[in-house]
Amino acid sequence: MEPLFSANGNKAIEPQDQLQQITQDLQESEERFRELAENIEQIFWMYSVEEQRLIYISPACEKSLGFDQSTCYARTWEDWLACIHPDDRIPVLKASRQPLRGKSVEMTYRLTTPHHGERWLLARAFPVRNAVGKIYRVAGIAEDITDRQEQENWLKLLESVIVHANDAVVITEAEPVELPGPRIVYVNQAFTRMMGYAPEEVIGKTPRILQGPNTNWDTLQEIRLALKQWQTKIVEIINYHKNGSEVWIELSIFPVADRSGRYFYWVALQRDITQRKQTEAALQRQHWKSQLFADITLKVRQSLQLDAILQTTVTEVRNFLQVDRVLIYRRLEHGQGVVCTEAVIPTWHSLLGQQFPETRFFPEPTALYEAGSVRNIEDLTQAEWRSPGAQYLRQLGVRSLLVVPIVQQASTWGWLIAHQCSSARHWKQATIELLQQLTHQVEIALTQSQLLQAVQESEERFRMLANSVPVLLWVMDPEGQYLFCNQSFLDFTGRSLEQSIGVGWLESVHPQEVSHCRTTTQQALLHRESFEMEYRLRRADGEYRWVLDRGVPRWMPDGSFGGLVGSCTDITDRKQAEVDMQTALAKERELSELKSRFVSTTSHEFRTPLSTILSSADLLESYGEAASPTKQLEHIQRIQTAAVNMNHLLSDILVIERAEAKRLRCNPVHLDLRSFCETLVAELTNLDQQQHPVLLQVDSLQVKLPAYLDETLLRQILTNLLSNALKYSAVGQTVWLRLRCEESQVQFIVQDQGIGIPLGDQGRLFEPFHRGTNVGTIAGNGLGLAIVKQSVEVHHGSIQIMSQSSVGTTVQVLLPRWMEQVLPPSG
């Protein structure tokens, strides 16, 4: 009998009381476990190794997996494995063995559920041993991390886009906005290519490292103001390459905030627009040059005041050349001269009205500056310039000069002179030629002024002078009738004066712009004001050229309104340059979209065969010895088929690449088209495993149908068209290939009764990687018709597609029957 008291005198616990206490403690423990398991968001589960079934799973399974507890208990291990994404099954199989070997395991995989679709799970499993140390259960926790995984994938995608973008990306801290500015924390590879700095050279520094002498500080102030207000800002600014060269940048800056709304970074996108700016500057200079020449020419024709003409000339030339001073030095008697007209910036001393001996105003002998001789000196501070004239000009602050003579009646009347005082300057040939043209207009103005001082210029004199200039001049009366067109105008249009006066000049205007020209001139006549318009004017050779037409009011000596006088300037080159620039920008956008579509499509197309290869290889590795030879051969064939598909995709991409680069050759050979088509139909019928009847119809009784075509390209054309017809036709539907030969051309017609092409897709049939919206799960990469189109064009042929959804598609290809060899352009 058990003692009632223990050895120390305390009352002993009865055995039945011990069992009751243990049972109670166990129940309390299980209640605490169940309360914990059923109130956590993660899925807790327990698997019996001996019974090979799930013995517990927490209620969280329904929220994450879409299955309630009873459904989960009823599912076998094979049921769960079938829900796992094919790419993840083998890793899960391998991981599932680890707890049975006494090891804990953790992995991430995708599970497809009936109500929740594909979900990402983070699963942890660990062995549970019994009292004797044997593993008799496996316990685990699974957490739905779909949102986190998608966020991580999105971040990886964004990082990839930023790293590989063509535009430079610069990320800085949010503060400080004031100088020295926020520090740089990240730059991508495009930044290094664009600015020359490696990341380690700029990270930790401020964007001021990119700024220099010609950086617009007003623009920087605008940026700083936008940063203070946490606003997005887009500007154009000059930054500096590591080598010191200027880089025009289109800069887009925007703030990045966290979930609480607090801004903590600035992101700047930099696009190199240097070439565009240079093109714009060149166009601007050309336009300014044309406008300058036309303005001065027009004022020479309008004004009777020589002083006004000379002042306009020096003012416009100084603005155009951006020099410190432009003047006209008029020759006097006894080797003297006077500055009769001047345009100078305020920081330099004016020379207007001052007389200078020619020996002091020129650094070289005066004879070198006579009629027809243009002289230019880049730097008077050089040692070789020691003449008194050079020393005197240096005292006046002149460092570089350009001298163009103004000739009047075969003698030098004076000189048009440009002074650069602040620095040395290289005078371009285009600048010299422009000043020579302008001095010619000044010479005309001098002649005109001298004639007007003697007698009233006659109409014949006006015609003679007008016809001596290369500008298209015209005179219009108050009723809008042309009274006069100069010889340049007539030579340009190829029409006589009789054909051009009145409203006859409108017959040379492009029909689409006649109404605009009439309206513009009528408004100018009505309000007696100047006008400016652009339109196309037919040249003598029939080509329409863009002209800039400017007209101003003409006032008679008695003060009455005499109509308009104007000039036309050919601006076709400028307009074409603008079109070319827009075309280049459109092409750049098109290439960028194609590149993006190429990367997206090829990555998707390669992923499927690669997954097949990896899956089969892993299965061979894991179960190769246990699998039957037939099963092993099946996996090997799957790997071979996937590799062949990848090879075909690469071949198609290379064909497209060669075609886009204009390197696709046409090497014609003598072919028998009947035999060629019969062989091709037989091959495709075997590949199709005779699932579709393929009928060849030849509209000729001749045994042989000779032609001279590129065999490889013709095979690509017909193989792609027939493969598409078979692929998109139901089993048993007939596909036809019709061949018709004529003397100079051959016609191929491929017809099916398949799913057809939706009307909305028919405008994009030949775009690489584009597929119809109704193809569903039918395999394909969207390159077939693009290859067909390129192969047909290399043959100088044509292709026409007629299709209707759910009815079928008919493709007609016309090729020249006797093809000459066509090589891609050299280089």
Side-chain angles (χ1 to χ4, degrees):
M1 186 174 199
E2 294 292 332
L4 296 178
F5 295 92
S6 62
N8 57 10
N10 295 327
K11 185 177 181 180
I13 300 175
E14 295 292 338
Q16 58 271 22
D17 293 335
Q18 291 181 340
L19 179 60
Q20 183 178 3
Q21 182 64 40
I22 292 172
T23 302
Q24 181 178 353
D25 291 344
L26 179 60
Q27 290 176 347
E28 291 177 357
S29 176
E30 289 181 351
E31 286 297 324
R32 286 194 298 272
F33 163 76
R34 190 174 301 277
E35 181 179 359
L36 175 63
E38 294 182 357
N39 287 280
I40 61 175
E41 294 184 358
Q42 292 85 358
I43 305 169
F44 181 81
W45 51 269
M46 186 74 73
Y47 179 81
S48 172
V49 176
E50 296 175 352
E51 300 176 32
Q52 295 187 357
R53 67 181 184 88
L54 188 69
I55 60 175
Y56 177 77
I57 189 167
S58 63
C61 62
E62 185 169 1
K63 178 180 178 182
S64 297
L65 304 181
F67 300 115
D68 57 23
Q69 288 176 291
S70 59
T71 302
C72 291
Y73 291 137
R75 293 178 67 86
T76 65
W77 167 240
E78 287 73 19
D79 294 335
W80 290 110
L81 194 62
C83 294
I84 296 174
H85 192 281
D87 293 348
D88 298 336
R89 276 178 200 156
I90 292 177
V92 170
L93 277 171
K94 291 181 179 180
S96 65
R97 302 189 189 103
Q98 298 303 315
L100 301 178
R101 298 170 182 170
K103 299 178 181 179
S104 298
V105 66
E106 175 179 310
M107 72 171 302
T108 302
Y109 61 92
R110 288 161 290 180
L111 188 72
T112 302
T113 64
H115 304 297
H116 294 69
E118 185 177 278
R119 309 298 293 178
W120 280 94
L121 297 180
L122 173 61
R124 303 177 182 88
F126 45 89
V128 179
R129 301 178 185 271
N130 57 18
V132 296
K134 180 181 178 182
I135 298 173
Y136 76 113
R137 291 180 182 177
V138 176
I141 295 177
E143 180 181 359
D144 187 340
I145 60 168
T146 303
D147 293 340
R148 184 198 314 170
Q149 191 70 24
E150 290 177 351
Q151 184 69 18
E152 290 177 357
N153 291 340
W154 178 248
L155 290 175
K156 289 178 181 178
L157 175 62
L158 291 180
E159 181 182 6
S160 176
V161 170
I162 291 174
V163 169
H164 298 97
N166 288 328
D167 291 343
V169 178
V170 179
I171 302 178
T172 70
E173 298 172 338
E175 300 288 350
V177 174
E178 296 295 344
L179 295 178
R183 293 180 301 172
I184 298 172
V185 298
Y186 173 81
V187 294
N188 66 348
Q189 298 173 4
F191 174 85
T192 300
R193 293 194 300 269
M194 184 182 300
M195 306 307 298
Y197 290 98
E200 60 270 15
E201 294 179 293
V202 295
I203 290 177
K205 299 180 181 179
T206 72
R208 296 189 68 185
I209 191 175
L210 305 176
Q211 297 158 12
N214 291 331
T215 302
N216 191 312
W217 301 107
D218 292 336
T219 303
L220 292 178
Q221 185 60 31
E222 291 179 20
I223 296 174
R224 193 171 295 115
L225 181 60
L227 296 185
K228 290 181 178 179
Q229 299 174 355
W230 303 106
Q231 294 177 345
T232 299
K233 189 68 176 178
I234 302 177
V235 298
E236 293 181 355
I237 194 170
I238 293 177
N239 278 347
Y240 282 80
H241 193 275
K242 182 180 178 180
N243 62 17
S245 60
E246 292 183 356
V247 182
W248 269 101
I249 295 296
E250 180 183 80
L251 184 63
S252 302
I253 306 177
F254 53 90
V256 177
D258 58 18
R259 293 184 179 180
S260 67
R262 182 177 63 87
Y263 293 103
F264 60 101
Y265 287 119
W266 286 102
V267 177
L269 302 181
Q270 295 187 172
R271 174 166 295 179
D272 188 343
I273 58 171
T274 304
Q275 185 174 2
R276 191 192 82 193
K277 282 291 187 179
Q278 291 172 346
T279 302
E280 291 175 353
L283 289 173
Q284 181 65 27
R285 286 193 298 271
Q286 181 63 32
H287 175 67
W288 197 355
K289 178 180 177 180
S290 301
Q291 182 176 348
L292 171 63
F293 186 75
D295 286 347
I296 293 179
T297 301
L298 190 60
K299 289 179 181 178
V300 167
R301 297 291 166 237
Q302 289 180 265
S303 178
L304 302 179
Q305 301 297 322
L306 179 61
D307 291 344
I309 294 173
L310 298 181
Q311 187 60 53
T312 298
T313 301
V314 297
T315 300
E316 296 297 336
V317 170
R318 198 204 69 76
N319 289 335
F320 178 74
L321 298 182
Q322 290 294 295
V323 293
D324 298 319
R325 180 189 293 115
V326 174
L327 57 87
I328 293 179
Y329 179 71
R330 181 178 179 181
R331 172 174 272 180
L332 302 177
E333 297 179 349
H334 311 298
Q336 295 289 316
V338 62
V339 178
C340 63
T341 309
E342 179 189 48
V344 61
I345 61 175
T347 55
W348 295 101
H349 181 65
S350 174
L351 304 178
L352 184 62
Q354 297 186 33
Q355 291 190 19
F356 297 93
E358 293 178 3
T359 56
R360 297 180 63 187
F361 208 61
F362 298 115
E364 300 171 294
T366 308
L368 297 176
Y369 296 87
E370 292 295 342
S373 298
V374 178
R375 307 293 293 179
N376 66 90
I377 298 173
E378 296 186 0
D379 193 354
L380 283 173
T381 62
Q382 299 297 319
E384 63 266 22
W385 297 105
R386 298 180 179 178
S387 65
Q391 295 178 9
Y392 187 69
L393 287 173
R394 284 200 294 267
Q395 292 177 11
L396 294 176
V398 179
R399 186 169 178 181
S400 182
L401 69 156
L402 174 62
V403 182
V404 183
I406 301 172
V407 179
Q408 183 65 27
Q409 297 179 356
S411 63
T412 302
W413 177 88
W415 293 270
L416 176 63
I417 304 174
H419 282 167
Q420 185 73 30
C421 302
S422 57
S423 63
R425 176 159 181 168
H426 171 70
W427 304 97
K428 298 180 180 179
Q429 184 60 33
T431 301
I432 295 173
E433 293 174 356
L434 173 63
L435 263 62
Q436 286 178 306
Q437 295 174 357
L438 294 177
T439 55
H440 179 59
Q441 298 305 309
V442 174
E443 292 164 4
I444 295 175
L446 289 171
T447 302
Q448 178 178 311
S449 178
Q450 290 176 356
L451 291 173
L452 288 175
Q453 290 175 8
V455 292
Q456 184 69 29
E457 183 179 15
S458 65
E459 182 66 16
E460 189 60 32
R461 177 63 67 181
F462 170 78
R463 292 174 182 270
M464 182 189 70
L465 291 175
N467 290 332
S468 67
V469 297
V471 180
L472 280 60
L473 298 178
W474 51 263
V475 178
M476 180 183 289
D477 67 15
E479 285 71 42
Q481 305 286 318
Y482 263 25
L483 298 175
F484 171 76
C485 301
N486 73 339
Q487 191 60 45
S488 296
F489 193 106
L490 300 177
D491 293 341
F492 185 92
T493 59
R495 297 170 62 86
S496 66
L497 180 61
E498 291 73 22
Q499 292 174 317
S500 300
I501 59 176
V503 294
W505 68 280
L506 286 170
E507 296 180 10
S508 296
V509 176
H510 194 282
Q512 295 179 1
E513 278 119 34
V514 170
S515 177
H516 171 62
C517 290
R518 278 205 182 102
T519 302
T520 302
T521 53
Q522 288 172 359
Q523 289 295 317
L525 290 169
L526 178 64
H527 299 288
R528 300 182 178 184
E529 61 185 12
S530 301
F531 75 88
E532 180 177 304
M533 62 179 173
E534 296 179 1
Y535 57 89
R536 287 168 285 182
L537 191 65
R538 188 175 64 243
R539 200 166 57 183
D541 59 2
E543 179 185 356
Y544 280 96
R545 305 283 291 180
W546 280 98
V547 297
L548 175 63
D549 195 349
R550 292 191 180 95
V552 297
R554 184 168 66 100
W555 303 99
M556 306 306 291
D558 61 357
S560 61
F561 179 65
L564 300 170
V565 59
S567 68
C568 298
T569 304
D570 190 336
I571 60 170
T572 305
D573 293 341
R574 189 194 81 193
K575 297 285 285 188
Q576 186 59 46
E578 294 173 353
V579 171
D580 292 344
M581 183 169 65
Q582 292 299 324
T583 302
L585 292 175
K587 185 65 175 178
E588 180 182 349
R589 287 192 295 268
E590 179 183 346
L591 290 175
S592 178
E593 292 172 359
L594 179 60
K595 183 188 296 182
S596 176
R597 194 160 66 248
F598 169 80
V599 172
S600 175
T601 304
T602 53
S603 63
H604 174 76
E605 292 298 329
F606 278 122
R607 186 177 293 115
T608 299
L610 283 174
S611 297
T612 300
I613 292 172
L614 289 174
S615 175
S616 295
D618 283 339
L619 288 172
L620 286 173
E621 177 186 8
S622 302
Y623 303 103
E625 296 179 355
S628 66
T630 301
K631 201 66 176 178
Q632 292 177 0
L633 180 59
E634 177 185 340
H635 287 298
I636 292 173
Q637 290 175 342
R638 288 181 61 196
I639 293 173
Q640 291 173 336
T641 301
V644 169
N645 290 338
M646 292 173 65
N647 185 57
H648 287 167
L649 177 59
L650 284 173
S651 298
D652 290 347
I653 292 173
L654 290 176
V655 171
I656 293 296
E657 188 275 334
R658 286 199 300 273
E660 292 292 338
K662 308 301 182 186
R663 293 188 291 105
L664 194 60
R665 293 175 178 268
C666 180
N667 295 314
V669 296
H670 292 285
L671 294 173
D672 176 8
L673 293 180
R674 181 189 293 273
S675 174
F676 180 86
C677 291
E678 289 174 347
T679 301
L680 186 63
V681 166
E683 291 175 358
L684 290 175
T685 301
N686 289 334
L687 289 175
D688 185 50
Q689 298 180 352
Q690 299 183 346
Q691 297 183 76
H692 305 82
V694 182
L695 302 183
L696 173 63
Q697 298 179 356
V698 182
D699 296 345
S700 175
L701 298 177
Q702 297 180 17
V703 176
K704 292 187 177 182
L705 296 174
Y708 193 59
L709 298 169
D710 187 304
E711 182 177 4
T712 301
L713 296 181
L714 182 59
R715 177 175 290 275
Q716 287 180 346
I717 293 171
L718 297 181
T719 299
N720 277 292
L721 293 179
L722 288 170
S723 296
N724 281 350
L726 294 170
K727 183 192 304 181
Y728 299 115
S729 297
V731 174
Q733 289 183 333
T734 302
V735 173
W736 292 271
L737 171 60
R738 296 186 175 93
L739 170 63
R740 177 182 300 165
C741 284
E742 299 178 2
E743 184 64 28
S744 60
Q745 69 178 10
V746 58
Q747 181 185 59
F748 300 94
I749 297 177
V750 177
Q751 184 178 0
D752 65 59
Q753 299 172 313
I755 64 175
I757 304 171
L759 184 61
D761 292 321
Q762 293 185 17
R764 302 179 62 191
L765 290 177
F766 302 114
E767 291 184 14
F769 306 111
H770 178 74
R771 304 193 69 207
T773 54
N774 62 337
V775 299
T777 59
I778 300 175
N781 54 39
L783 292 176
L785 286 180
I787 293 174
V788 170
K789 177 72 169 175
Q790 297 290 354
S791 301
V792 170
E793 289 181 348
V794 170
H795 273 97
H796 301 301
S798 64
I799 181 172
Q800 183 179 6
I801 298 180
M802 294 158 288
S803 185
Q804 185 176 350
S805 292
S806 304
V807 175
T809 301
T810 300
V811 183
Q812 174 183 281
V813 174
L814 289 177
L815 300 178
R817 188 170 179 180
W818 309 105
M819 190 69 194
E820 296 181 359
Q821 188 175 34
V822 178
L823 299 178
S826 60

